Amino acid sequence: MQSSAALSIGLPVVLCIIMLGLGLSLKLDDFRRVLHRPQAVLIGLVCQIVILPVICFGLTYASGLPPAIAVGMMLLAASPGGTSATLYTHLARGDVALSITLTALTSALSIIAVPLIANFALVQFYGEAAAVYLEFSQVAQIFVIAVVPAMVGVMIQSRYPAFAQRLERPVKMLAMLFLAAVVIFALVSQWGLVATWGATVGTIVVVFNLMSLAVGYFVPRLFRIEYPQAIALAMSIGMHNAALVIAVALSKHMLGNSEMAIPPAAYGLVAYITGGVLVWVLNRRQTVPIRPAPG
Protein backbone atom coordinates (compact mmCIF):
# COMPACT_ATOMS: atom_id res chain seq x y z
CA MET A 1 0.00 0.00 0.00
CA GLN A 2 3.02 2.26 -0.05
CA SER A 3 2.82 5.12 -2.56
CA SER A 4 5.37 5.14 -5.36
CA ALA A 5 7.58 8.15 -5.97
CA ALA A 6 5.60 8.97 -9.10
CA LEU A 7 2.41 9.36 -7.10
CA SER A 8 3.78 10.76 -3.84
CA ILE A 9 6.02 13.39 -5.50
CA GLY A 10 5.13 13.71 -9.16
CA LEU A 11 1.36 13.82 -8.72
CA PRO A 12 1.28 16.79 -6.28
CA VAL A 13 3.77 18.72 -8.43
CA VAL A 14 1.74 18.22 -11.60
CA LEU A 15 -1.48 19.07 -9.75
CA CYS A 16 0.09 22.31 -8.48
CA ILE A 17 1.01 23.30 -12.03
CA ILE A 18 -2.45 22.46 -13.35
CA MET A 19 -4.19 24.29 -10.49
CA LEU A 20 -2.05 27.33 -11.29
CA GLY A 21 -3.21 27.06 -14.87
CA LEU A 22 -6.86 26.76 -13.83
CA GLY A 23 -6.48 29.89 -11.73
CA LEU A 24 -5.43 31.76 -14.87
CA SER A 25 -8.95 31.28 -16.25
CA LEU A 26 -10.62 32.73 -13.12
CA LYS A 27 -11.25 36.20 -11.81
CA LEU A 28 -11.74 37.44 -8.27
CA ASP A 29 -15.33 38.26 -9.27
CA ASP A 30 -15.94 34.51 -9.74
CA PHE A 31 -15.22 33.92 -6.05
CA ARG A 32 -17.20 37.00 -4.99
CA ARG A 33 -20.17 35.61 -6.90
CA VAL A 34 -19.89 32.29 -5.09
CA LEU A 35 -19.70 33.96 -1.69
CA HIS A 36 -22.52 36.42 -2.43
CA ARG A 37 -24.78 33.49 -3.40
CA PRO A 38 -23.80 30.87 -0.81
CA GLN A 39 -26.72 28.49 -1.37
CA ALA A 40 -24.67 26.17 -3.58
CA VAL A 41 -21.83 26.06 -1.04
CA LEU A 42 -24.21 25.29 1.84
CA ILE A 43 -25.95 22.51 -0.12
CA GLY A 44 -22.58 21.05 -1.04
CA LEU A 45 -21.45 21.04 2.58
CA VAL A 46 -24.63 19.28 3.72
CA CYS A 47 -24.23 16.65 1.00
CA GLN A 48 -20.56 16.12 1.84
CA ILE A 49 -20.70 16.13 5.64
CA VAL A 50 -24.17 14.76 6.40
CA ILE A 51 -25.79 12.88 3.51
CA LEU A 52 -22.78 10.89 2.27
CA PRO A 53 -21.75 9.46 5.67
CA VAL A 54 -25.36 8.35 6.25
CA ILE A 55 -25.49 6.67 2.82
CA CYS A 56 -22.09 5.05 3.34
CA PHE A 57 -23.04 3.70 6.77
CA GLY A 58 -26.16 2.12 5.30
CA LEU A 59 -24.15 0.49 2.51
CA THR A 60 -21.41 -0.86 4.76
CA TYR A 61 -23.81 -2.07 7.43
CA ALA A 62 -26.03 -3.86 4.90
CA SER A 63 -23.05 -5.38 3.08
CA GLY A 64 -21.59 -7.07 6.14
CA LEU A 65 -18.04 -6.00 5.34
CA PRO A 66 -15.14 -6.87 7.66
CA PRO A 67 -14.73 -4.21 10.39
CA ALA A 68 -11.50 -2.76 9.01
CA ILE A 69 -12.97 -2.40 5.51
CA ALA A 70 -16.14 -0.84 6.94
CA VAL A 71 -14.14 1.73 8.92
CA GLY A 72 -12.11 2.53 5.81
CA MET A 73 -15.33 3.17 3.89
CA MET A 74 -16.63 5.50 6.60
CA LEU A 75 -13.34 7.40 6.64
CA LEU A 76 -13.70 7.80 2.90
CA ALA A 77 -17.21 9.22 3.30
CA ALA A 78 -15.91 11.75 5.83
CA SER A 79 -12.99 12.89 3.67
CA PRO A 80 -13.05 16.24 1.84
CA GLY A 81 -13.15 16.66 -1.90
CA GLY A 82 -9.96 15.74 -3.73
CA THR A 83 -7.79 18.29 -5.49
CA SER A 84 -8.41 16.54 -8.81
CA ALA A 85 -12.14 17.35 -8.50
CA THR A 86 -11.38 20.92 -9.58
CA LEU A 87 -9.54 19.63 -12.64
CA TYR A 88 -12.49 17.44 -13.62
CA THR A 89 -14.83 20.39 -13.02
CA HIS A 90 -12.77 22.49 -15.43
CA LEU A 91 -12.79 19.79 -18.11
CA ALA A 92 -16.58 19.36 -17.71
CA ARG A 93 -17.08 23.16 -17.97
CA GLY A 94 -18.40 23.47 -14.45
CA ASP A 95 -17.97 26.29 -11.92
CA VAL A 96 -14.28 26.06 -11.03
CA ALA A 97 -14.45 28.85 -8.44
CA LEU A 98 -17.19 26.97 -6.57
CA SER A 99 -15.14 23.76 -6.70
CA ILE A 100 -12.07 25.46 -5.22
CA THR A 101 -14.20 27.13 -2.53
CA LEU A 102 -15.87 23.87 -1.52
CA THR A 103 -12.53 22.02 -1.46
CA ALA A 104 -11.10 24.65 0.87
CA LEU A 105 -14.10 24.56 3.23
CA THR A 106 -14.46 20.77 3.39
CA SER A 107 -10.72 20.43 3.93
CA ALA A 108 -10.86 22.79 6.89
CA LEU A 109 -13.92 21.05 8.34
CA SER A 110 -12.28 17.63 7.92
CA ILE A 111 -10.16 18.37 11.00
CA ILE A 112 -13.38 17.84 12.98
CA ALA A 113 -15.43 15.59 10.68
CA VAL A 114 -12.85 12.85 10.04
CA PRO A 115 -12.04 12.12 13.72
CA LEU A 116 -15.73 12.22 14.69
CA ILE A 117 -16.81 9.79 12.00
CA ALA A 118 -13.72 7.61 12.53
CA ASN A 119 -14.51 7.19 16.21
CA PHE A 120 -18.19 6.56 15.42
CA ALA A 121 -17.20 3.85 12.92
CA LEU A 122 -14.81 2.21 15.39
CA VAL A 123 -17.60 1.99 17.97
CA GLN A 124 -20.10 0.61 15.46
CA PHE A 125 -17.86 -1.98 13.80
CA TYR A 126 -15.34 -2.80 16.54
CA GLY A 127 -17.30 -1.94 19.67
CA GLU A 128 -14.63 0.44 20.93
CA ALA A 129 -13.32 3.93 20.19
CA ALA A 130 -9.79 5.20 19.76
CA ALA A 131 -8.35 8.68 19.92
CA VAL A 132 -8.19 9.60 16.23
CA TYR A 133 -6.91 13.05 15.36
CA LEU A 134 -6.22 14.62 11.98
CA GLU A 135 -2.92 16.43 11.89
CA PHE A 136 -3.01 20.04 10.71
CA SER A 137 -0.09 19.40 8.36
CA GLN A 138 -2.20 16.93 6.35
CA VAL A 139 -4.94 19.49 5.80
CA ALA A 140 -2.35 22.17 5.03
CA GLN A 141 -1.03 20.01 2.18
CA ILE A 142 -4.43 20.21 0.48
CA PHE A 143 -4.32 24.00 0.57
CA VAL A 144 -0.74 24.06 -0.71
CA ILE A 145 -1.58 21.79 -3.65
CA ALA A 146 -5.06 23.02 -4.58
CA VAL A 147 -5.95 26.43 -3.22
CA VAL A 148 -2.68 28.39 -3.16
CA PRO A 149 -1.61 27.72 -6.80
CA ALA A 150 -5.12 28.52 -8.04
CA MET A 151 -5.17 31.84 -6.20
CA VAL A 152 -1.72 32.68 -7.61
CA GLY A 153 -3.16 32.04 -11.07
CA VAL A 154 -6.10 34.34 -10.30
CA MET A 155 -3.70 37.11 -9.30
CA ILE A 156 -1.69 36.65 -12.52
CA GLN A 157 -4.91 36.78 -14.54
CA SER A 158 -5.93 40.04 -12.92
CA ARG A 159 -2.59 41.67 -13.86
CA TYR A 160 -1.79 39.97 -17.18
CA PRO A 161 -5.11 38.88 -18.76
CA ALA A 162 -3.69 38.46 -22.29
CA PHE A 163 -0.94 36.14 -21.02
CA ALA A 164 -3.48 34.13 -19.03
CA GLN A 165 -5.73 33.74 -22.07
CA ARG A 166 -2.86 32.39 -24.20
CA LEU A 167 -2.15 29.70 -21.61
CA GLU A 168 -5.75 28.49 -21.23
CA ARG A 169 -5.77 26.05 -24.16
CA PRO A 170 -2.32 24.49 -23.44
CA VAL A 171 -3.30 23.99 -19.81
CA LYS A 172 -6.51 22.20 -20.77
CA MET A 173 -4.59 19.90 -23.12
CA LEU A 174 -2.04 19.20 -20.37
CA ALA A 175 -4.87 18.41 -17.97
CA MET A 176 -6.43 15.86 -20.35
CA LEU A 177 -3.08 14.17 -20.96
CA PHE A 178 -2.41 14.15 -17.22
CA LEU A 179 -5.73 12.46 -16.45
CA ALA A 180 -5.14 9.78 -19.07
CA ALA A 181 -1.66 9.10 -17.68
CA VAL A 182 -2.92 8.90 -14.10
CA VAL A 183 -5.67 6.40 -14.98
CA ILE A 184 -3.23 4.17 -16.88
CA PHE A 185 -0.60 4.40 -14.15
CA ALA A 186 -3.16 3.69 -11.43
CA LEU A 187 -4.44 0.60 -13.24
CA VAL A 188 -0.93 -0.76 -13.71
CA SER A 189 0.44 0.06 -10.25
CA GLN A 190 -2.69 -1.07 -8.38
CA TRP A 191 -3.42 -4.17 -10.44
CA GLY A 192 -2.65 -6.40 -7.47
CA LEU A 193 -5.23 -4.52 -5.43
CA VAL A 194 -7.80 -4.84 -8.19
CA ALA A 195 -7.18 -8.58 -8.56
CA THR A 196 -7.24 -9.30 -4.82
CA TRP A 197 -10.04 -7.07 -3.58
CA GLY A 198 -12.01 -6.35 -6.74
CA ALA A 199 -14.81 -8.79 -6.00
CA THR A 200 -15.05 -8.01 -2.28
CA VAL A 201 -14.62 -4.25 -2.11
CA GLY A 202 -14.94 -3.24 -5.74
CA THR A 203 -18.73 -3.45 -5.95
CA ILE A 204 -19.47 -1.33 -2.90
CA VAL A 205 -16.78 1.19 -3.85
CA VAL A 206 -18.28 1.60 -7.33
CA VAL A 207 -21.80 1.90 -5.90
CA PHE A 208 -20.71 4.49 -3.35
CA ASN A 209 -18.82 6.47 -5.99
CA LEU A 210 -21.82 6.56 -8.34
CA MET A 211 -24.13 7.50 -5.47
CA SER A 212 -21.75 10.29 -4.43
CA LEU A 213 -21.77 11.71 -7.95
CA ALA A 214 -25.55 11.42 -8.12
CA VAL A 215 -26.09 13.11 -4.75
CA GLY A 216 -23.65 15.87 -5.71
CA TYR A 217 -25.57 16.59 -8.91
CA PHE A 218 -29.26 15.85 -8.31
CA VAL A 219 -29.65 17.26 -4.80
CA PRO A 220 -28.41 20.73 -5.89
CA ARG A 221 -30.62 20.56 -9.00
CA LEU A 222 -33.64 19.88 -6.80
CA PHE A 223 -32.88 23.22 -5.15
CA ARG A 224 -32.63 24.92 -8.57
CA ILE A 225 -28.86 25.27 -8.49
CA GLU A 226 -27.55 26.19 -11.94
CA TYR A 227 -26.07 23.50 -14.17
CA PRO A 228 -22.36 24.59 -14.02
CA GLN A 229 -22.53 24.77 -10.23
CA ALA A 230 -24.22 21.36 -10.02
CA ILE A 231 -21.38 19.91 -12.10
CA ALA A 232 -18.84 21.44 -9.71
CA LEU A 233 -20.67 19.99 -6.70
CA ALA A 234 -20.97 16.55 -8.30
CA MET A 235 -17.23 16.41 -8.95
CA SER A 236 -16.26 17.83 -5.54
CA ILE A 237 -18.59 15.46 -3.68
CA GLY A 238 -17.99 12.42 -5.88
CA MET A 239 -14.19 12.59 -5.88
CA HIS A 240 -12.99 12.22 -2.30
CA ASN A 241 -9.46 12.85 -1.09
CA ALA A 242 -8.47 9.19 -0.99
CA ALA A 243 -4.82 10.02 -0.27
CA LEU A 244 -5.78 11.75 2.98
CA VAL A 245 -7.77 8.71 4.14
CA ILE A 246 -4.92 6.36 3.26
CA ALA A 247 -2.58 8.49 5.36
CA VAL A 248 -4.98 8.40 8.32
CA ALA A 249 -5.38 4.63 8.02
CA LEU A 250 -1.67 3.83 7.69
CA SER A 251 -0.24 6.35 10.17
CA LYS A 252 1.07 4.73 13.35
CA HIS A 253 0.01 7.87 15.23
CA MET A 254 -3.61 7.42 14.14
CA LEU A 255 -5.23 4.14 13.08
CA GLY A 256 -2.19 2.15 11.88
CA ASN A 257 -4.29 -0.42 10.01
CA SER A 258 -3.37 -1.24 6.41
CA GLU A 259 -6.70 -2.98 5.73
CA MET A 260 -8.53 0.30 6.37
CA ALA A 261 -6.55 1.83 3.50
CA ILE A 262 -7.94 -0.65 0.97
CA PRO A 263 -11.30 1.12 0.31
CA PRO A 264 -9.79 4.57 -0.31
CA ALA A 265 -7.09 3.05 -2.53
CA ALA A 266 -9.75 1.28 -4.60
CA TYR A 267 -11.94 4.38 -4.59
CA GLY A 268 -9.12 6.57 -5.89
CA LEU A 269 -8.76 4.28 -8.88
CA VAL A 270 -12.51 4.02 -9.52
CA ALA A 271 -13.12 7.77 -9.16
CA TYR A 272 -10.51 8.66 -11.78
CA ILE A 273 -12.21 6.34 -14.26
CA THR A 274 -15.84 7.24 -13.55
CA GLY A 275 -14.94 10.93 -13.38
CA GLY A 276 -13.27 10.72 -16.78
CA VAL A 277 -16.29 8.95 -18.27
CA LEU A 278 -18.60 11.60 -16.77
CA VAL A 279 -16.48 14.41 -18.26
CA TRP A 280 -16.67 12.74 -21.67
CA VAL A 281 -20.46 12.32 -21.42
CA LEU A 282 -21.02 15.90 -20.26
CA ASN A 283 -18.85 17.35 -23.00
CA ARG A 284 -20.72 15.36 -25.64
CA ARG A 285 -24.07 16.76 -24.47
CA GLN A 286 -22.92 20.38 -24.33
CA THR A 287 -24.64 21.01 -27.66
CA VAL A 288 -27.92 19.59 -26.29
CA PRO A 289 -30.16 22.17 -24.55
CA ILE A 290 -29.99 21.76 -20.77
CA ARG A 291 -33.31 21.11 -19.08
CA PRO A 292 -34.19 23.57 -16.32
CA ALA A 293 -33.92 22.35 -12.75
CA PRO A 294 -37.10 20.61 -11.52
CA GLY A 295 -39.60 22.62 -9.52
Side-chain angles (χ1 to χ4, degrees):
M1 197 65 64
Q2 298 296 325
S3 299
S4 67
L7 288 179
S8 60
I9 299 175
L11 182 57
V13 170
V14 174
L15 276 175
C16 281
I17 295 172
I18 291 177
M19 293 303 295
L20 174 65
L22 296 183
L24 294 174
S25 65
L26 298 174
K27 300 178 181 179
L28 289 174
D29 287 342
D30 295 325
F31 293 94
R32 294 191 186 102
R33 172 180 48 79
V34 170
L35 296 177
H36 288 164
R37 300 177 62 186
Q39 184 184 17
V41 174
L42 294 175
I43 292 173
L45 290 175
V46 171
C47 291
Q48 183 83 38
I49 297 174
V50 179
I51 297 178
L52 285 192
V54 171
I55 290 175
C56 186
F57 178 73
L59 283 173
T60 54
Y61 190 83
S63 301
L65 295 173
I69 302 297
V71 172
M73 286 296 301
M74 291 301 296
L75 285 172
L76 185 64
S79 66
T83 53
S84 55
T86 302
L87 175 56
Y88 278 87
T89 298
H90 172 71
L91 294 176
R93 304 175 190 178
D95 190 330
V96 175
L98 174 59
S99 178
I100 294 173
T101 301
L102 192 62
T103 295
L105 290 175
T106 55
S107 298
L109 291 173
S110 67
I111 296 177
I112 299 174
V114 171
L116 282 177
I117 292 181
N119 286 320
F120 169 80
L122 289 169
V123 170
Q124 294 298 316
F125 297 108
Y126 278 102
E128 60 183 20
V132 178
Y133 302 99
L134 190 59
E135 297 178 3
F136 176 78
S137 61
Q138 293 173 310
V139 178
Q141 290 174 10
I142 302 172
F143 283 85
V144 170
I145 293 173
V147 179
V148 174
M151 296 311 298
V152 170
V154 171
M155 295 303 175
I156 294 175
Q157 200 281 339
S158 65
R159 290 179 177 270
Y160 310 102
F163 172 71
Q165 186 175 7
R166 286 197 301 269
L167 286 180
E168 185 173 352
R169 182 176 177 83
V171 166
K172 189 167 185 176
M173 291 299 298
L174 174 64
M176 295 177 69
L177 292 173
F178 163 73
L179 287 180
V182 166
V183 170
I184 294 172
F185 185 84
L187 280 171
V188 173
S189 63
Q190 300 295 330
W191 186 252
L193 172 69
V194 174
T196 303
W197 292 97
T200 306
V201 183
T203 301
I204 192 169
V205 165
V206 171
V207 170
F208 181 60
N209 173 246
L210 295 177
M211 293 183 73
S212 297
L213 291 169
V215 166
Y217 178 78
F218 288 109
V219 171
R221 292 294 279 170
L222 287 174
F223 287 90
R224 303 183 64 84
I225 297 299
E226 296 176 358
Y227 175 78
Q229 292 184 312
I231 294 301
L233 294 176
M235 294 299 182
S236 298
I237 293 167
M239 303 194 69
H240 299 271
N241 194 325
L244 178 67
V245 181
I246 292 173
V248 172
L250 294 179
S251 174
K252 295 180 180 179
H253 303 290
M254 284 175 275
L255 293 171
N257 189 316
S258 59
E259 289 187 17
M260 293 180 185
I262 292 171
Y267 192 96
L269 173 61
V270 168
Y272 273 118
I273 297 173
T274 58
V277 171
L278 182 58
V279 166
W280 179 78
V281 171
L282 292 173
N283 282 327
R284 281 185 61 86
R285 70 186 292 264
Q286 288 297 314
T287 55
V288 180
I290 303 300
R291 292 183 178 182

